[in-house]
Amino acid sequence: MDWAELDAAELVALARAHEDPDGHLPVPDVVGWDIFPWEGELRPRRLRDPEPEPPRHGEDGPAGCHACQHPPEGLVWSDGGWRLTVPAGGPVPTFVLHPVEHLDLGDLDEAQAADLGVVVVRVERAIAAVPGVGRVHVSRFGDGGAHLHVFLFARPAGLLQLRGSCLTDWEDILPPLPPERWTAIARSVGQRLATWRGEAGPGPG
Ligand SMILES: [Zn+2]
């Protein structure tokens, strides 16, 4: 096996070698971090053996893609090439940026890739300009859907426990914002983007 290769079975074997007699890995330092949202006795789940990768939504093209087959939910802004949506209410305004065309990140040509960089920076600025936003987090996972979708989270200023990698866990814990606030924030972001490049969407709600 080439060293410049990722071997899931090797990682599982390493994990097994570090398990305690009960079959669990040691509890990591993250449980003591200020941002970690859980307390109490915890233990890591056991790492399963490698499994076949399940197909993602839209893996075979636009016909099986939710983003392509349904009107965008909570449209905030679109310029024809990109769409920005806020799909549902939550405790932290969360925006999703995706190309109008059925493309994944690695499918973008050079011009689209360059444009993605410009658009992400513009959207970050538009969200960061909302009073009370302390930081804008940007994430792309891609494990569920084949149609590129980039998440942008508006982390409230002063909520230091929501910093970093645990923000999405806190999203599952905290109650949703009032719909009026969610809608007003989304509209203000859409309006900032509309003055830069094209039309704002109708906004959610
Ligand atoms: Zn699609």
Side-chain angles (χ1 to χ4, degrees), residues 62 65 67-68 101-103 147:
C65 173
C68 288
E101 201 177 339
H102 184 82
L103 297 167
H147 192 136

